[in-house]
Amino acid sequence: MHNFRLVTTIRVRYAETDQMGVANNANYLTWFEVCRTELCRNCGMPPAVWEKEGFFLPVAECGCRYRHPAVYDDLVQLWCMPEKIMPCSVTFRYRAVRESDGCLLAEGWTKHAVTDARGKLVRKDNAFYRWMLDEEKKFQSEE
Amino acid sequence: MHNFRLVTTIRVRYAETDQMGVANNANYLTWFEVCRTELCRNCGMPPAVWEKEGFFLPVAECGCRYRHPAVYDDLVQLWCMPEKIMPCSVTFRYRAVRESDGCLLAEGWTKHAVTDARGKLVRKDNAFYRWMLDEEKKFQSEE
Amino acid sequence: MHNFRLVTTIRVRYAETDQMGVANNANYLTWFEVCRTELCRNCGMPPAVWEKEGFFLPVAECGCRYRHPAVYDDLVQLWCMPEKIMPCSVTFRYRAVRESDGCLLAEGWTKHAVTDARGKLVRKDNAFYRWMLDEEKKFQSEE
Amino acid sequence: MHNFRLVTTIRVRYAETDQMGVANNANYLTWFEVCRTELCRNCGMPPAVWEKEGFFLPVAECGCRYRHPAVYDDLVQLWCMPEKIMPCSVTFRYRAVRESDGCLLAEGWTKHAVTDARGKLVRKDNAFYRWMLDEEKKFQSEE
C-alpha cells in the first residue's frame, strides 16, 4: 500500500453491527473520522487543537467501496494517505484492513473544506495548510 | 396509560438494529430525545427555540427497562409524561409501544438539568419553568 | 429534479448533530437507507418483506457530496431515483433537500449487490429484479 | 473504587459529540457495551465466542447518572464490576472516568438476561453462569 500509513486500529462494536450480522456501512465514515483524528495526533496536532486555533474540516465529499464485511469484534486497521493538500481543502484516502488476515475490507476517501469557526473558507498560506505540507514532506522523506 | 400522551411515532431504522436482529438498546435514549423534542414542539416551543433563548436541558440521569424487542421497520409509538417540574430540573417518563399490537416495548425516564448556554444551572422563576408548568396545567385540565 | 421522486421526510435529531452544530456526515448514509426503505414500501414491498423472501441489498459502494449543512430540527426531504437496475445489483441516487426553503443539502448514491441470506450474489431473472423493473416502468409512464 | 476494575479506555469520537459540544448521552450505553466485551475478553472469553456457544446477553434494564460531560478527544477509562451473577441474569456496574484528571464522568449499570440464540432464558447450571462465578472468584482472591 504505497504511501498509505497505518494510523490506528479499531474494534467493531456490537452497536455498529446491523441485522445482516456485519458492521453497518455508515460506520465506516465514523471510522475514517477516527483515522483522521489519529493521523493528526500522530503528527503532533490533533484536530481538537486545530479547532481551538480556529481551523475546522467539514466533510465536503466522500466515497467508499465496501469489499468484504467486517463483523463484531474484528480488529480493523485504518490506513490513511493525505492527498491534494490545498490552502482551502484537503483529501484523505483510507483503507480498512482486517488485522487477523490482512483482508481489504473497504477503500474510501473524504474531501474536506478548511474553514474558520463560522464555516467560512480559509484562504492561502494558512497555518493548517503549511503544517499539512510539512508533515507530508517529512513522511515522504522517511520512506 | 394515565397521564401519558402519545407524542410521536418513529420507525426502526436498519442502522438501529444489531446482530441480535433487534433495535440496539442505546437507540431508545435517542428515541426518548426525539420524543422530548416533539412534546415541546406540540406545545408550541421546540427545544431548538429554547436553545436560542438560552435554555439547555442536558441529561443528568436516565433509566430504561426493556420489555420486548423492537425489530427493523416496526412503528414505535413514543408516549411521554413530564413530572417533577422544578426551576432547575425536570423529569420525563416514556413508554415505547409497538403500534401494530400495542405491545409495551420499553419504559424509561430521563432527568434533566436546566442550564444556560455555558452549562450553568438556571435558578427560580425562569421562562422555561413557567412554560412547562403552564403547559402541564393545560394538559391536566383537558383530560 | 427530473426522475427523482420525493420519498420521505426526516427531521434532524439532536443525537445526529456534532459539535460543529450540524448533522454529522455519517448520518446521511443512514438517511439514504431510510429513503430506500420507504421507496420500496411506497411500491408495496418494504425491504423487511424482501429479506423474508431471501433478498438482501448490502451496500457495495457509496458516495456523497455535501453542499449545505443540515441543523438540528431541520425537516429534510429525501428524494430518490433508482438506476442501473441489474439482476445482481442496483444503484440509487439521492437528494437531501431542506423542506423550509428547498435548499439542496446533499447529493449521494449507493450501489447495492443483490444477495441471498448467505451473502451470495443472486443471478438473472430473480423476483426482486423483475419487481424493480416493473415499478420503474410504472413510475416512468406516470410522469 | 472498591471491586471495580479498569477494563478499557476509549477516546471520544467526533461523531459522538452533539451540538452542546459534549458526548451525547446515548453513547455511554455503547461504551458500556464495549466495556462488557473487553471485560469478557480479559477473562479469556469474548462475547463473540459466547454467542457462538449459544449464549446471548440482551440488555433488560439500564441506568446512568451523568456527573460531568466528556468532550471530543477525551480519553475515557471504563471501569466495571459484575454483580448479582445468576443463572439467567447478570448485572454490571460501570464507571466512566476521564483519564487526564481522574474526574468521574458517569456511573451506570446494565442488567442482562442470559438467553439462547432464540431469545429464550437459559436456566440453572449453564456454562456461562459457572464461568462468570469462577472468574469473579479469581478476581476477588487476587485483590
Side-chain angles (χ1 to χ4, degrees):
Chain A
M1 293 205 283
H2 183 57
N3 277 345
F4 276 85
R5 63 206 82 173
L6 174 55
V7 174
T8 191
T9 302
I10 60 96
R11 196 181 278 281
V12 179
R13 300 172 172 184
Y14 208 91
E16 292 174 334
T17 62
D18 64 26
Q19 71 180 38
M20 239 182 275
V22 302
N24 186 268
N25 66 93
N27 293 300
Y28 289 76
L29 293 188
T30 301
W31 299 345
F32 294 164
E33 176 268 302
V34 169
C35 185
R36 289 192 299 278
T37 294
E38 297 305 324
L39 178 76
C40 291
R41 186 191 323 285
N42 293 351
C43 297
M45 286 284 279
V49 175
W50 281 114
E51 292 202 351
K52 276 173 198 157
E53 299 282 319
F55 291 93
F56 291 77
L57 297 176
V59 181
E61 291 180 51
C62 73
C64 190
R65 185 165 182 183
Y66 304 91
R67 293 184 167 281
H68 292 280
V71 303
Y72 168 52
D73 219 33
D74 271 354
L75 281 171
V76 178
Q77 296 177 339
L78 299 171
W79 296 71
C80 191
M81 177 178 67
E83 62 175 20
K84 296 181 201 155
I85 301 169
M86 313 256 280
C88 65
S89 74
V90 58
T91 296
F92 296 95
R93 296 207 158 270
Y94 312 91
R95 289 191 181 160
V97 172
R98 189 163 51 215
E99 188 175 84
S100 62
D101 62 359
C103 175
L104 179 61
L105 303 173
E107 297 169 287
W109 59 276
T110 53
K111 182 182 174 183
H112 299 259
V114 182
T115 77
D116 63 19
R118 291 178 178 189
K120 205 184 151 193
L121 273 186
V122 174
R123 297 294 171 187
K124 267 190 184 173
D125 271 337
N126 63 73
F128 179 77
Y129 169 59
R130 288 193 305 270
W131 176 75
M132 282 290 293
L133 282 184
D134 282 352
E135 292 301 323
E136 198 51 21
K137 271 180 211 159
K138 277 188 222 169
F139 178 77
Q140 301 296 348
S141 64
E142 278 167 20
E143 284 201 319
Chain B
M1 294 206 283
H2 182 55
N3 278 343
F4 276 85
R5 63 206 82 171
L6 174 55
V7 174
T8 191
T9 303
I10 59 96
R11 197 181 278 279
V12 179
R13 299 171 172 186
Y14 208 92
E16 292 174 333
T17 62
D18 63 28
Q19 68 180 41
M20 240 182 275
V22 302
N24 186 268
N25 65 92
N27 293 299
Y28 288 75
L29 292 187
T30 301
W31 299 346
F32 294 163
E33 176 269 302
V34 169
C35 184
R36 290 191 299 277
T37 294
E38 297 306 324
L39 178 75
C40 291
R41 186 192 323 286
N42 293 351
C43 298
M45 286 284 279
V49 175
W50 280 114
E51 292 201 351
K52 275 171 198 158
E53 300 281 320
F55 292 92
F56 291 77
L57 295 177
V59 180
E61 292 179 50
C62 73
C64 190
R65 184 167 182 181
Y66 305 91
R67 294 184 168 279
H68 293 281
V71 302
Y72 169 51
D73 220 32
D74 271 353
L75 282 172
V76 178
Q77 296 177 339
L78 299 171
W79 296 71
C80 191
M81 176 178 67
E83 62 174 22
K84 296 181 201 153
I85 301 169
M86 313 254 282
C88 65
S89 75
V90 59
T91 296
F92 297 95
R93 297 208 158 270
Y94 312 92
R95 288 190 183 161
V97 173
R98 189 164 51 215
E99 189 175 84
S100 62
D101 62 359
C103 176
L104 178 62
L105 302 173
E107 297 170 286
W109 60 276
T110 54
K111 181 183 174 183
H112 300 258
V114 182
T115 76
D116 61 21
R118 293 180 176 184
K120 204 183 151 191
L121 274 186
V122 174
R123 299 293 171 187
K124 267 191 184 172
D125 271 337
N126 63 74
F128 178 78
Y129 169 59
R130 288 194 305 270
W131 176 74
M132 282 291 295
L133 281 184
D134 282 353
E135 291 302 323
E136 198 51 22
K137 269 180 214 159
K138 278 189 222 169
F139 178 76
Q140 301 296 349
S141 64
E142 279 167 20
E143 283 202 315
Chain C
M1 293 205 282
H2 183 57
N3 278 343
F4 276 85
R5 63 207 81 171
L6 173 56
V7 175
T8 190
T9 302
I10 58 96
R11 196 181 278 280
V12 179
R13 300 172 173 185
Y14 208 92
E16 291 174 334
T17 62
D18 62 28
Q19 69 180 41
M20 239 181 277
V22 301
N24 186 268
N25 66 92
N27 293 301
Y28 289 75
L29 293 187
T30 301
W31 299 345
F32 294 164
E33 176 268 303
V34 170
C35 184
R36 291 192 298 278
T37 294
E38 297 306 324
L39 178 76
C40 291
R41 186 192 324 285
N42 292 351
C43 297
M45 285 285 278
V49 175
W50 280 113
E51 290 202 352
K52 275 173 198 158
E53 299 282 320
F55 292 92
F56 291 76
L57 295 178
V59 180
E61 292 179 51
C62 73
C64 190
R65 184 166 182 182
Y66 305 91
R67 292 182 169 282
H68 292 281
V71 302
Y72 168 51
D73 220 34
D74 271 353
L75 281 171
V76 178
Q77 296 178 340
L78 299 171
W79 296 71
C80 192
M81 176 179 66
E83 63 175 21
K84 296 181 199 153
I85 301 168
M86 314 255 281
C88 65
S89 75
V90 60
T91 295
F92 297 95
R93 296 206 159 271
Y94 312 91
R95 289 192 182 160
V97 173
R98 189 163 50 215
E99 191 175 81
S100 61
D101 62 359
C103 175
L104 178 62
L105 303 173
E107 298 170 285
W109 58 276
T110 54
K111 181 182 175 184
H112 300 258
V114 181
T115 77
D116 62 20
R118 291 178 178 188
K120 206 184 150 190
L121 275 186
V122 174
R123 298 294 171 188
K124 268 190 184 172
D125 272 338
N126 63 72
F128 178 78
Y129 169 59
R130 288 194 305 270
W131 176 76
M132 282 291 294
L133 282 183
D134 282 353
E135 292 300 324
E136 199 48 22
K137 269 180 213 158
K138 276 189 223 169
F139 177 76
Q140 302 296 347
S141 63
E142 279 167 21
E143 284 202 314
Chain D
M1 293 204 283
H2 183 56
N3 279 343
F4 275 84
R5 63 205 83 172
L6 173 56
V7 174
T8 192
T9 302
I10 58 96
R11 197 181 279 277
V12 178
R13 300 172 172 185
Y14 209 91
E16 291 173 334
T17 62
D18 63 26
Q19 69 181 40
M20 239 182 275
V22 301
N24 186 268
N25 67 92
N27 292 299
Y28 289 75
L29 293 187
T30 301
W31 299 345
F32 293 164
E33 176 270 301
V34 169
C35 185
R36 291 192 299 277
T37 294
E38 297 306 324
L39 178 76
C40 290
R41 186 192 324 285
N42 293 350
C43 297
M45 285 286 278
V49 174
W50 280 114
E51 290 201 353
K52 276 173 197 156
E53 300 281 320
F55 291 92
F56 291 77
L57 296 177
V59 180
E61 293 179 49
C62 73
C64 190
R65 184 167 182 182
Y66 304 91
R67 293 185 168 278
H68 293 280
V71 302
Y72 167 53
D73 219 34
D74 270 353
L75 282 171
V76 178
Q77 296 177 339
L78 299 171
W79 295 72
C80 190
M81 176 178 67
E83 62 174 23
K84 296 182 201 154
I85 302 168
M86 313 255 282
C88 65
S89 74
V90 58
T91 296
F92 296 96
R93 295 206 158 271
Y94 312 91
R95 290 191 181 161
V97 173
R98 189 163 51 214
E99 191 176 81
S100 61
D101 62 358
C103 175
L104 178 62
L105 302 173
E107 298 170 285
W109 60 275
T110 54
K111 182 183 174 183
H112 300 259
V114 181
T115 77
D116 62 20
R118 293 180 177 186
K120 204 184 152 192
L121 274 186
V122 174
R123 298 295 172 188
K124 267 192 185 173
D125 271 338
N126 63 74
F128 179 78
Y129 169 60
R130 287 195 305 270
W131 176 75
M132 283 290 294
L133 281 183
D134 283 352
E135 291 301 323
E136 198 51 21
K137 270 180 211 160
K138 276 189 221 169
F139 178 76
Q140 302 296 348
S141 63
E142 278 167 20
E143 287 202 313

